[in-house]
Amino acid sequence: TEALAQVYKHANTLVLPNAMLQDDLQNHPADWRKKTFVWAGSDAHREDVDVYGETYRALLRRADRFVWINFMPTWAVSVSAEKNTRVDLQPWIHTERYLEWMRTNEVTAIWKPLLTNQFNRGKTNIAWMVATACGAICITNQAGQPGWEFAVKEFPKTYEHFSQQWQDSRDYLVTRYNLETWNETRLHSLLKLANHEHPTISATTA
């Protein structure tokens, strides 16, 4: 990420953002009628979720189902018992099946709370990209920050707002994170960097 590049300050650093194929993007927003919210991570992210317990309570009031993937903090169990929302703990999902699982479970939003610190500023916005690809939106306190411009801080109150937020996210993803476009950009950038460090490398490709 650009944040990591600024930390290392190497003269020949090349930042290659995540990207997705348009064929992997859903063409319509998720089903609004049954709201399924998801958080995915591990105990390494515990500090991030611990600080945003009140946000979790607010999300439970809006959701029909909340799924913790791979990890669920102990405090969330008691909080969940206070609400009528169904809360599940889902075991780790293989990367190759991640998008399929999201779509099959009709996920409406991915929650990605992140403390503002140097480590988190170095993270990519993959949660927003996955949400958008599956017809969902991304909810995070980082909304509006670089890479999170099309995420939101709270779940929209109307379907019109929700669907427009998702469509704007999808349009931006296609424009900014299109893998077909990035493949060529990466190739030329890598060749330029390689030739700078190793002038004998040919820029000719088959």
Side-chain angles (χ1 to χ4, degrees):
T1 62
E2 292 290 350
L4 286 177
Q6 292 174 14
V7 171
Y8 285 103
K9 293 183 171 61
H10 191 282
N12 296 323
T13 299
L14 178 64
V15 178
L16 300 176
N18 291 314
M20 301 187 76
L21 289 171
Q22 285 188 250
D23 289 346
D24 289 332
L25 305 182
Q26 191 159 303
N27 293 317
H28 55 83
D31 189 351
W32 165 271
R33 292 168 298 179
K34 294 183 178 181
K35 301 175 183 65
T36 297
F37 297 169
V38 162
W39 178 92
S42 69
D43 55 358
H45 305 93
R46 179 169 192 152
E47 188 176 6
D48 291 319
V49 295
D50 282 353
V51 172
Y52 293 98
E54 288 304 314
T55 302
Y56 176 62
R57 285 182 169 87
L59 291 175
L60 286 183
R61 288 194 290 270
R62 299 296 308 279
D64 297 296
R65 181 189 181 201
F66 194 102
V67 184
W68 294 86
I69 298 178
N70 197 46
F71 171 77
M72 180 179 181
T74 53
W75 58 262
V77 177
S78 57
V79 170
S80 302
E82 301 170 4
K83 312 296 180 181
N84 294 322
T85 304
R86 172 184 169 186
V87 178
D88 299 320
L89 174 60
Q90 167 68 37
W92 177 79
I93 304 167
H94 194 284
T95 304
E96 293 180 356
R97 300 190 60 187
Y98 198 60
L99 293 180
E100 176 188 353
W101 186 94
M102 292 286 180
R103 293 187 177 115
T104 300
N105 285 270
E106 298 180 336
V107 172
T108 322
I110 292 179
W111 180 41
K112 192 64 177 179
L114 291 170
L115 289 173
T116 301
N117 54 44
Q118 188 176 27
F119 178 74
N120 282 343
R121 281 195 295 270
K123 290 182 177 178
T124 67
N125 57 356
I126 191 66
W128 165 74
M129 295 178 66
V130 169
T132 304
C134 297
I137 60 173
C138 181
I139 302 172
T140 175
N141 57 298
Q142 297 296 319
Q145 296 299 313
W148 303 96
E149 295 91 345
F150 287 85
V152 295
K153 292 188 176 181
E154 60 182 21
F155 193 75
K157 292 181 171 58
T158 66
Y159 174 73
E160 290 72 23
H161 184 192
F162 166 77
S163 59
Q164 188 61 56
Q165 182 67 37
W166 171 80
Q167 186 64 59
D168 291 344
S169 289
R170 190 187 189 284
D171 292 344
Y172 185 71
L173 195 156
V174 169
T175 302
R176 181 68 177 82
Y177 298 94
N178 189 334
L179 183 57
E180 292 178 356
T181 302
W182 269 111
N183 277 340
E184 185 165 349
T185 302
R186 286 171 173 172
L187 173 62
H188 289 293
S189 298
L190 288 170
L191 287 173
K192 182 178 179 180
L193 181 61
N195 281 319
H196 178 78
E197 296 187 340
H198 306 283
T200 58
I201 294 179
S202 173
T204 302
T205 58

